[in-house]
Amino acid sequence: MDTDRQLGMDCPISRRQFVNGVAVGLGALSVGPLGLPAFAAEVPLAAYPPARTGMRGSHPGAFEAAHALRDGTLKLADAQDAGEDYDLVIVGGGLSGLSAAHFFHQRMGAGMKVLILDNHDDFGGHAKRNEFTVNGRQLVVNGGTLNIESPSRYNRWAQGVLDDLGVDLARFRAANTAEAGLYQKLGLKHAWGFDKETFGADRVVPSAASGWHGPDAATVAAAPLSAAAKAGLTRLLATDQPDYLPGMDRAAKLDWLARHSFRQFLIEKVGLDRQAEWFFSQMGCASFCVGSDATPALYAWVQGYPGFSGMGLGAVPDQLFADLPGGQHGRQREGDLSVHFPDGNATVARLLVSRLVPASTTARTQEDMGTAVFDYAALDRPGQPTRIRLSSIVVNVAHLGDPARAGEVAVRYMAGGTLRQVRGAAVILASWNMMIPYLMPELPEAQKAALHYAVKGPLVYTSVALTNWRAMARLGVSRFTTPTMFHQDVGLTEAVSLGGLKHAANPDEPVVLHLAKYMTRPGLPRQDQHRLGRADLLALSFADFERETRAQLLRLLGPGGFDPRRDIAAITVNRWPHGYAYTYNSITDPVEWVYSESPTRPCVIARQPFGLVSIANSDAAASPHTDAAMLEAHRAVQEVIARRTYPFVPRRVS
């Protein structure tokens, strides 16, 4: 077994937090005033949020008050009234909340007073940015939201935001023509990582295929599989596929595929054994945070997985999934490639903040955001139209009087261990749905139930800064798929540059590895997998992640000369217990919820305005995509404007 010293656990890499998760329960921690765990204000942090390493994402201090509220241990004593009132208070500084502020100022004028409250120490919500400096070189990777997916399918409001911000995808692509295909030019391929616990020995098998849709014939031949597993895969990959649902017409086949998992299809209809199905076990994880056991076989057909060519299904209907935000859940039109900035959609969040709070940065353009530095002290200064108040977790939202006639809403939040209160003529909850019933006990019971339905998918993006990537070059691999290892995906970050931020041009230069872990519990219904996966995730400390990450990289890259003590410069774990928005699943949810904009969907019931409060988030669209978050932000702002009575006296900035 690898020792901690061999793995480099004793090496003085970037700061390790002493408190790095909730491996101990809240009850075991000392409790400060108002029921908050005492450690929340004691965690040492680096000065600049994007450069903080250790446990990020839902980091220590960002969620403890919410859990205490949920558990009934947070005492909502009289809040200290800050004496602040706003035209609009937005709860949540992610892409939906930032877009809501943008839409509101666009319609009502820049002089209106807007306050954005966010529980994290950085803005952007899931659209976070990880920064590293290695050997004097700046490295950047997304800590959450990955890309602008299917941009031609963006709704008009989301596209309008990109246009307003000066996002030019064609210009970005043109600027990256030299970087395009870098890894292929160096002869690097995708590879499958077989682990000794499952297959008896660690083995890396390169593949000519991308790996997204399973193995190729050469991979099957070289894989450490049984003869039966190889025979089944060879049959599945053959061009002359049989009809695995004989006796059904096309409509009946599509219905069967919608109601059964891809795993059921492969095992029960195709006849693969479990060892062979290993190659497809993660199908669905990157979109739904569950694998092939809980993802409809219909989705596998839409995505182009093997096994369907002999079934007479014809072409995938263009409208299938297309009416839902985010396009066809990743199925793109030809030439409509996703765009991935070096830090993912953190570039979009940073552009929004540069417009909302111009004093926070001198950067303005898309290219500027590559190396832009933000003054976080400038985000929450009096006298500016928009104030962004970080490390402020909202715990209560209540109308001051009867919601049907109230003129203001009180918003109570925890900051620095103190319960504070501000007031708003309107409130937009741009947080996530499951928390809202705890924030607003006055909501109707049916709406609370609908809000609770949106169980978000937990996941982790781990960023590992390397001093070089020579080991991957020697192995000829740019990305590993490892379904039964700790992280299921391990790969070099996409070779793209932005302005003055340049990607590594050769293996001797520092680079970042992007690792993904999906917290699944195969065999259970999807929502149960999410709930238990979240508990599993919160039980892991940063030390657990660091040890497992180092060990996995040594197993994969060790044959190429990789030394975790020497080659790892820093590790950032982006933990998202409430990650992807819940999208409806035709295995367990009514089919009409999945393939149409049915008004009976919980997300529609959940997002209804109540009094002076509107709801805007990706949960409200049952879609994890950026354009969905922006669409719902626009709807919520329209509701706010429609509720205003004229004439009114705005709380204009003095």
Side-chain angles (χ1 to χ4, degrees):
M1 180 175 178
D2 301 317
T3 66
D4 281 358
R5 178 169 176 76
Q6 180 187 10
L7 296 176
M9 290 290 290
D10 60 326
C11 292
I13 66 166
S14 297
R15 175 197 52 82
R16 295 191 179 97
Q17 294 172 326
F18 176 74
V19 178
N20 45 45
V22 287
V24 294
L26 289 176
L29 298 168
S30 60
V31 178
L34 304 171
L36 264 183
F39 76 74
E42 299 171 1
V43 178
L45 295 171
Y48 193 60
R52 291 171 182 165
T53 57
M55 189 67 80
R56 299 296 293 157
S58 183
H59 56 75
F63 61 90
E64 292 82 5
H67 284 189
L69 178 68
R70 175 201 64 192
D71 298 337
T73 59
L74 179 64
K75 308 303 179 185
L76 290 174
D78 291 339
Q80 296 182 9
D81 196 307
E84 299 175 22
D85 55 48
Y86 295 88
D87 294 290
L88 177 63
V89 176
I90 299 172
V91 179
L95 289 173
S96 187
L98 296 172
S99 296
H102 174 77
F103 286 130
F104 186 73
H105 283 307
Q106 200 173 50
R107 285 293 307 275
M108 303 301 295
M112 306 293 283
K113 289 179 64 178
V114 176
L115 174 66
I116 299 173
L117 296 166
D118 195 86
N119 58 311
H120 298 101
D121 57 26
D122 200 357
F123 56 79
H126 289 154
K128 287 292 192 292
R129 171 182 171 106
N130 294 162
E131 291 186 9
F132 306 92
T133 301
V134 179
N135 297 337
R137 188 184 187 99
Q138 185 180 20
L139 309 176
V140 167
V141 64
N142 62 293
T145 309
L146 178 66
N147 58 18
I148 296 174
E149 189 174 31
S150 300
S152 74
R153 296 185 185 275
Y154 260 39
N155 62 75
R156 61 179 291 197
W157 307 114
Q159 184 59 54
V161 171
L162 298 185
D163 292 343
D164 293 341
L165 299 177
V167 174
D168 189 326
L169 303 183
R171 190 172 78 226
F172 174 75
R173 291 192 188 100
N176 280 279
T177 52
E179 287 85 351
L182 170 66
Y183 303 136
Q184 292 87 340
K185 293 172 186 175
L186 293 174
L188 308 190
K189 299 179 180 179
H190 166 263
W192 295 90
F194 298 87
D195 60 297
K196 60 187 176 184
E197 294 83 359
T198 305
F199 297 95
D202 289 339
R203 186 185 300 183
V204 171
V205 179
S207 172
S210 68
W212 292 116
H213 300 111
D216 58 9
T219 301
V220 173
L225 303 173
S226 68
K230 290 188 176 185
L233 287 166
T234 300
R235 185 175 66 252
L236 176 66
L237 298 176
T239 55
D240 54 338
Q241 290 290 295
D243 185 348
Y244 292 112
L245 294 176
M248 296 184 188
D249 62 20
R250 182 175 185 272
K253 289 176 181 178
L254 294 178
D255 183 72
W256 191 97
L257 295 174
R259 298 178 189 276
H260 295 78
S261 72
F262 189 41
R263 174 170 293 177
Q264 284 179 283
F265 174 75
L266 290 175
I267 293 177
E268 297 175 11
K269 300 301 181 181
V270 177
L272 289 190
D273 64 15
R274 285 299 178 94
Q275 193 182 56
E277 198 272 336
W278 175 87
F279 284 99
F280 306 99
S281 58
Q282 300 305 303
M283 195 283 295
C285 280
S287 297
F288 309 118
C289 293
V290 287
S292 62
D293 66 297
T295 301
L298 184 66
Y299 181 75
W301 172 59
V302 169
Q303 289 289 292
Y305 280 81
F308 303 99
S309 61
M311 294 174 62
L313 298 176
V316 176
D318 190 56
Q319 73 274 15
L320 189 59
F321 295 112
D323 57 344
L324 302 180
Q328 297 177 304
H329 288 283
R331 177 170 159 262
Q332 300 168 337
R333 294 171 175 170
E334 185 176 354
D336 186 26
L337 298 177
S338 297
V339 171
H340 177 206
F341 294 114
D343 60 3
N345 285 2
T347 287
V348 179
R350 287 155 68 85
L351 281 167
L352 278 163
V353 171
S354 74
R355 267 68 174 174
L356 294 169
V357 189
S360 65
T361 183
T362 58
R364 292 291 181 268
T365 70
Q366 168 180 288
E367 288 73 21
D368 289 345
M369 293 303 144
T371 56
V373 175
F374 281 72
D375 179 2
Y376 280 71
L379 296 176
D380 188 22
R381 287 177 179 159
Q384 56 194 27
T386 299
R387 299 174 70 172
I388 301 175
R389 190 164 297 168
L390 301 174
S391 299
S392 300
I393 183 166
V394 173
V395 295
N396 185 255
V397 177
H399 288 86
L400 296 176
D402 182 350
R405 293 184 290 274
E408 284 188 311
V409 180
V411 179
R412 301 177 180 93
Y413 65 95
M414 295 294 307
T418 301
L419 184 65
R420 308 173 191 272
Q421 175 179 298
V422 295
R423 302 185 183 201
V427 171
I428 291 178
L429 299 179
S431 50
W432 40 273
N433 276 8
M434 285 183 66
M435 187 61 189
I436 292 174
Y438 299 106
L439 303 184
M440 288 195 69
E442 64 187 25
L443 286 173
E445 292 303 317
Q447 188 169 9
K448 289 182 188 177
L451 287 160
H452 277 305
Y453 195 86
V455 183
K456 297 173 84 70
L459 74 159
V460 180
Y461 287 162
T462 300
S463 303
V464 181
L466 300 181
T467 58
N468 67 83
W469 39 292
R470 290 189 285 267
M472 297 194 80
R474 293 187 190 109
L475 293 171
V477 176
S478 61
R479 173 178 165 265
F480 300 88
T481 298
T482 55
T484 41
M485 286 189 174
F486 186 76
H487 291 93
Q488 292 99 327
D489 281 295
V490 177
L492 294 164
T493 50
E494 188 169 346
V496 290
S497 299
L498 184 64
L501 182 68
K502 302 299 182 182
H503 190 274
N506 64 72
D508 294 324
E509 297 179 346
V511 79
V512 182
L513 290 180
H514 176 76
L515 294 73
K517 180 174 180 61
Y518 303 101
M519 306 301 300
T520 62
R521 285 287 196 97
L524 295 176
R526 181 177 170 192
Q527 289 175 314
D528 290 341
Q529 290 200 43
H530 292 342
R531 293 186 182 98
L532 293 174
R534 178 163 57 251
D536 292 341
L537 175 53
L538 289 173
L540 294 170
S541 68
F542 176 70
D544 295 328
F545 272 99
E546 181 180 5
R547 184 175 291 106
E548 293 287 351
T549 299
R550 288 172 172 272
Q552 184 173 357
L553 292 180
L554 180 60
R555 293 168 71 173
L556 293 172
L557 299 176
F562 177 79
D563 181 350
R565 293 181 58 83
R566 179 194 64 212
D567 297 334
I568 293 178
I571 299 175
T572 297
V573 175
N574 299 281
R575 173 180 62 184
W576 301 113
H578 301 273
Y580 285 173
Y582 183 80
T583 51
Y584 299 118
N585 187 318
S586 54
I587 298 175
T588 52
D589 296 321
V591 172
E592 62 268 20
W593 290 3
V594 182
Y595 306 116
S596 72
E597 294 277 5
S598 168
T600 64
R601 292 180 300 153
C603 66
V604 177
I605 299 169
R607 72 191 183 207
Q608 297 306 306
F610 181 75
L612 300 174
V613 178
S614 289
I615 294 172
N617 50 41
S618 60
D619 289 338
S623 168
H625 297 282
T626 291
D627 60 326
M630 293 175 173
L631 174 68
E632 297 305 320
H634 182 267
R635 173 193 48 76
V637 168
Q638 293 301 105
E639 291 171 357
V640 168
I641 294 171
R643 283 196 303 266
R644 283 185 175 273
T645 56
Y646 292 85
F648 71 94
V649 179
R651 296 158 170 79
R652 292 194 178 275
V653 177
S654 58

